Amino acid sequence: MSDNATAARGLFDVTEAIDRRFSPLQKMMYVLAALAMILDGFDGQLIGFAIPAIMKEWGVTREAFSTAVASGLFGMAIGSIAAGYIADRIGRRLLLVASVFLFGGSTLLIGFAQDVGGITMIRFFAGLGIGAALPSASTMTAEYTPKRLRTLAVSATIICYPLGGMLAGLFAGQILPAAGWRPLFFIGGAIPMAYAVVLFFTLGES
C-alpha cells in the first residue's frame, strides 16, 4: 500500500514510521537489546574462566568439565531453535526478558554447585537462556531500526556477544584472585537478573 493510499484511508503505516527516522525511542530499544547481548556473552563465557579455579578446589581434571561445557552448548542450540516458535506466541519482548532472567539466574546458581554434575545440569538451563536471547535481541533490533541502518545495527548487536565475553575475562581477572570462583557467578548472575527487571519495565514490544 502506498503512503498516499494509506493516508487517504486514515491508516497508520508502522513500517513507514520506523523507516522515516531513527527516533529516541527506537535508539533506546536498540541500546536495551545491545546491552542484553553483552550480558549474554558475559554469562556465556564466565564458566571458561572459572574452570581452572574449580579444578584446583575440587581436585578434578579438565576432562571432567567436558560434559558441563557440552551441556551448555546443547542448551544454547535448543534455545536458539525454540526462540522463534516461543516468540510468536508470547512476544519477543517477554521472551527476551525471560531469557536474560533465565541465564542470569542459572549463572548465579552455579555459585552454589557442589560437584561437576550440578554444574552440568545448571549450564543446560543457562544455555537455553543464552541461546534464546541472541535471536530475540537481533530480531527486535531489526524491527526497531530504519531500513537504511538495519544491517549495521543487527551486525553491531551480534558483535556485542563477543564483547560481553571479553568483559567477562576482564571481570574474572579481578574477581577470581580476590574472592574466588563462587562470587564470580553470584555477581555475574545477579547483574543479568537485575537487568531483566529493567527490561520488563522499559522494553517495548516488537
Side-chain angles (χ1 to χ4, degrees):
M1 183 182 292
S2 67
D3 294 345
N4 291 336
T6 300
R9 295 182 59 183
L11 300 177
F12 180 75
D13 190 331
V14 175
T15 302
E16 191 276 332
I18 290 174
D19 289 339
R20 187 186 308 127
R21 69 189 184 97
F22 202 14
S23 69
L25 174 62
Q26 291 168 271
K27 292 176 183 177
M28 184 180 75
M29 294 301 105
Y30 167 73
V31 170
L32 290 172
L35 288 174
M37 284 310 307
I38 289 175
L39 292 175
D40 198 32
F42 184 88
D43 273 24
Q45 298 302 314
L46 276 184
I47 186 69
F49 297 108
I51 284 177
I54 302 174
M55 288 168 49
K56 183 177 180 180
E57 180 177 318
W58 289 353
V60 296
T61 64
R62 182 173 292 275
E63 288 71 23
F65 283 91
S66 60
T67 304
V69 174
S71 176
L73 295 174
F74 182 59
M76 288 176 63
I78 294 178
S80 297
I81 293 171
Y85 177 84
I86 298 173
D88 288 341
R89 282 149 183 79
I90 68 174
R92 291 181 179 83
R93 169 186 171 273
L94 189 56
L95 176 60
L96 183 57
V97 171
S99 299
V100 173
F101 191 85
L102 176 59
F103 72 67
S106 299
T107 298
L108 186 147
L109 286 176
I110 292 176
F112 293 102
Q114 299 300 317
D115 53 41
V116 178
I119 293 179
T120 299
M121 181 178 65
I122 297 170
R123 276 296 294 177
F124 172 77
F125 290 101
L128 289 177
I130 293 169
L134 176 56
S136 303
S138 58
T139 301
M140 292 199 72
T141 295
E143 292 179 347
Y144 269 103
T145 306
K147 188 175 182 179
R148 67 184 185 278
L149 300 173
R150 195 162 295 155
T151 300
L152 176 62
V154 172
S155 298
T157 301
I158 295 172
I159 290 172
C160 286
Y161 184 88
L163 174 60
M166 180 188 73
L167 294 175
L170 297 175
F171 176 72
Q174 297 298 316
I175 298 298
L176 282 172
W181 65 271
R182 292 186 188 276
L184 183 74
F185 291 108
F186 293 151
I187 300 171
I191 294 173
M193 291 178 72
Y195 186 64
V197 176
V198 173
L199 285 177
F200 182 81
F201 290 104
T202 58
L203 187 65
E205 186 53 85
S206 62

